Amino acid sequence: MTENIPTNGFSRRRFLELGFGAAAASALSACGGGKSAEDVAGGGTTSDKKFTGEYDGPKVTLSYWNGFTGGDGPFMDQLVKDFMTENPKIAVKQNTVEWAQYYQRMPAAVTAGKGPDVGVMHMDQLATNAVRKIIVPLDDLTESIGLTEDDFTPEVWNAGIFQDARYGLPLDVHSLGMYYNEDQFSQAGVEEAPTDEESLMAALDKLQEVNPQPFWMPSRWPAHLMFLSLLWQNGGEPYDAENSKATFDSDAGVQALTWMTEVISKGYSPKNVAQDSQYVAFKNSKVSVTWDGIWQINDLKAAKLPFALAPVPQIGSTSAVWANSHNFYLTKQAAEDDNKLQAAKVFIDWIIKKSADWAGAGMVPAAKSVRESSGVQDTTQAPIAAQIEAMKFLPPVPGLGDVTAQTFEIAVADAILGKRSPAEALKDAAGKGSQLMEANKQKFGA
Amino acid sequence: MATSAPGRPAAGDATRVDEEALGLGDTSREPTSRTRGDTRAAYLFLGPYLVLFIAFVIAPAVYGFWISLHDYDYTLPGKPWVGLNNYQKLIDSDSVTFENFWNSMKATAIFTLASVPLLLVLPLLVALIMNARFRGRNFFRAVYFAPYVLGVAVVAVLWRFLLDANIGLINQYAGAIGLPDDTAWLTDTPAAWVGLVGVTVWWTLGFNAVIYLAGLQDISVELYEAAKVDGANRWQSFWNVTMPGLRPVLAFVTMVTIIASANMFGQSYLMTKGAPGTETRTAIYYIADTGLRNFQMGDAAAMSYVLTLLLMLLSVGVFWLFRERNE
């Protein structure tokens, strides 16, 4: 629905990211490794047949779900079409659902046996869906495709593992980036994209002559992703390693959020920036700098804006940026039919190998070989791709996404809107977060 | 309840409806004189609806109550029985849901209190004007009804951008005529409530107006003439003829409007996202989030029951208010 609407970012990605932020939360704790429902790993058994990369069974129809409703949609459509031409025995029926609804609908549909056989979801949703036994392990696929940790960065690779089994194969990574208006930069005499706090502030001061308020601070999405990036840059973690306590109210967190509110109090941003206003304003050249997801590239290109993309500047002591990843999964539905299972594996294998085309959708391919290929080096997001080591992901903990949505997303909004002080807002939210995490542990049997 | 409201909400309502359905006409005779055959015919006519009602209202309601007694997540194999625990959480101020839930109930209450009076009075004024004879009346009627045909998503996205504090047209124009141009219609209270209520009134006013209009057209002209003969001025004839004539319609409109307002979800979900913080997150919004996004169906079902109970009490109050008084 969003493709032709100028507010593309709003409808598609924002919604996406909301679900996603929720989702993202779960991915964040990824490094902690899965610690939930004990019996999950055995949940869906994949087939015993060895995967050969070829499908030789009877004709089969795969149901394939994803949430690529925006500028990335046409690229996936093309990939699916090409796949079917090359593999006439496998028909792929695509169903594209907005991400925000995706994570509500998909589990319901799979439970009812009318869901996807294969699909794409955000990395931070894998654990939640694994513990619910919606998706099944695909370790054998990993082996046969011949992918290893070396092909990815450890963070992306390990986040797909939950309770010793792999549930997701990464297609891409996408992070927050800094978009800036090139015309306004040259008008203001800023020659290079800022890389740290000092250069950012200097640039903003100069930019104020062109745009009195050059860097609008959003109160909602992607505000919490900016917060997470800054929190990590300050050496903090949103959740503790045992995933039983919310720690985003640490000094690192308070500093991060304070920095964000100071962008407003120092006059670089107006107050009360509502959902998506900063993005719409950026598209209309009323804002010179904005931090947003790299998947907005195509939307901004379509708007004919003279923009460029740079990594998020390092404000804190280390470089870090929030990121997430689209992962392929197989459902328990596919696991019940051996032909479908084989066909689905062939499909995943094929698409991941073609993920250079997917870079056209604004994403950074997850596989190193593809990422470093020339096709990707020429894209707008190339500077981001180079920064893949700095990308931080939310840990794969079941239900953590809901915790994020209910806690620091709201705390960040409260502080940005000037309703409460950063410290107070975060402390309250962290208390609530810890309670919710305890409840989740019980529910999912950690 | 909505279906029976336009009739007579008094005690004898049920039998009247039966007889009307049967086409028995004269309702002033004692209903006890009916034969057995009548009753059977009545059940025959009521049967199909009863089946639908049981399948789609009663059964889900009972099932929902069953769910509310469990820690219910349909994707998990275990759905442990928790008794009334989900309800206790709603009255235990230490639980995570307590504060969220009652804040959302408060948001719903604020919205209902602010929107219902406006949605009762303004459409009545519009209906009175629509009922008068003047050129372009049909156009005028259409204009007021037009927004109602839009879906909530269209309305909310449209107004979300019009009302934006920094890039919205409303503030732009307000500034142009010398009013404050930095009102945060979406991210600060009470401005956000003004925005939400205003949009809802603009959007649904036409519906109530059309119902009122139908009611107005039902009032016999002779009554107005008689009032005139008795020397009533316009105000007196409005108060003594129009208002009593509208009472059944008014009861219906009041009920429907209260329920619609108490069920407000889309506007705050799409326009404010509950901002600032969760101040404009309504009960339905929170219930949907809890049940459908977080899969805590047991909690969500318990909250729904509490909301339903309060709405039922409110309905009883409204019926009592509009009861037929014997003077």
Side-chain angles (χ1 to χ4, degrees), chain A residues 7 15 18 100 103-104 107-108 111 131-132 216 220 270-275 277 280 286 402 406 410 414 417 419 432 435-436 443-444, chain B residues 73-76 94-96 99-100 157 160-161 164-167 184 186-189 270 273 275-279 292-296:
Chain A
T7 60
F15 278 129
L18 273 179
Y103 298 113
Q104 298 174 25
T111 306
V131 82
R132 294 182 196 280
W216 289 17
R220 280 302 175 112
K271 288 180 195 164
N272 291 309
V273 177
Q275 174 100 17
S277 300
V280 176
K286 285 187 72 177
D402 305 333
Q406 292 177 63
I410 308 244
D414 271 348
L417 295 175
K419 291 272 162 192
K432 204 181 265 185
Q435 258 181 304
L436 289 171
K443 180 172 171 181
F444 298 117
Chain B
D73 180 331
Y74 72 89
T75 65
L76 294 179
D94 287 335
S95 78
V96 190
E99 202 192 333
N100 287 340
V157 172
R160 180 246 161 287
F161 283 104
D164 192 283
N166 296 297
I167 55 172
L186 300 171
T187 55
D188 200 6
T189 48
L270 293 166
K273 287 264 164 215
T278 52
E279 278 183 60
L292 299 176
R293 189 177 296 281
N294 302 352
F295 298 100
Q296 294 166 350

Side-chain angles (χ1 to χ4, degrees), chain B residues 171-297:
Chain B
N171 274 353
Q172 186 89 11
Y173 286 140
I177 59 169
L179 292 170
D181 65 352
D182 59 350
T183 315
W185 296 109
L186 300 171
T187 55
D188 200 6
T189 48
W193 286 123
V194 175
L196 289 169
V197 169
V199 168
T200 307
V201 168
W202 172 80
W203 178 37
T204 61
L205 179 151
F207 177 75
N208 284 0
V210 165
I211 307 280
Y212 276 134
L213 186 61
L216 287 175
Q217 288 172 344
D218 252 8
I219 300 172
S220 151
V221 184
E222 284 93 50
L223 292 174
Y224 287 105
E225 282 166 358
K228 214 170 185 180
V229 171
D230 287 346
N233 61 22
R234 287 184 86 164
W235 172 250
Q236 283 168 324
S237 93
F238 171 77
W239 199 245
N240 294 306
V241 178
T242 311
M243 284 309 277
L246 275 183
R247 193 179 55 197
V249 174
L250 202 60
F252 170 73
V253 170
T254 309
M255 256 347 291
V256 168
T257 308
I258 288 179
I259 291 171
S261 292
N263 286 343
M264 195 273 265
F265 163 69
Q267 295 96 309
S268 56
Y269 183 70
L270 293 166
M271 283 169 58
T272 64
K273 287 264 164 215
T278 52
E279 278 183 60
T280 60
R281 180 168 70 180
T282 59
I284 298 286
Y285 187 165
Y286 183 57
I287 290 170
D289 257 6
T290 308
L292 299 176
R293 189 177 296 281
N294 302 352
F295 298 100
Q296 294 166 350
M297 308 257 169

Side-chain angles (χ1 to χ4, degrees), chain B residues 5-25:
Chain B
R8 283 152 191 252
D13 192 32
T15 46
R16 257 176 245 256
V17 171
D18 280 7
E19 282 162 359
E20 276 161 25
L22 292 168
L24 289 183

Side-chain angles (χ1 to χ4, degrees), chain B residues 104-121 193-194 196-198 200-201 254 257-264 282 311 314 318:
Chain B
S104 72
M105 289 293 275
K106 187 175 139 203
T108 293
I110 293 174
F111 181 81
T112 308
L113 282 176
S115 64
V116 169
L118 290 173
L119 281 171
L120 291 181
V121 175
W193 286 123
V194 175
L196 289 169
V197 169
T200 307
V201 168
T254 309
T257 308
I258 288 179
I259 291 171
S261 292
N263 286 343
M264 195 273 265
T282 59
L311 281 179
L314 201 61
V318 172

Side-chain angles (χ1 to χ4, degrees), chain A residues 74-87 90 92 94 347 350-351:
Chain A
F75 291 90
M76 187 48 80
D77 290 348
Q78 190 57 47
L79 281 171
V80 168
K81 222 180 267 172
D82 293 349
F83 171 79
M84 286 198 284
T85 318
E86 277 186 38
N87 297 272
I90 307 173
V92 178
Q94 211 183 177
F347 178 67
W350 191 92
I351 299 264

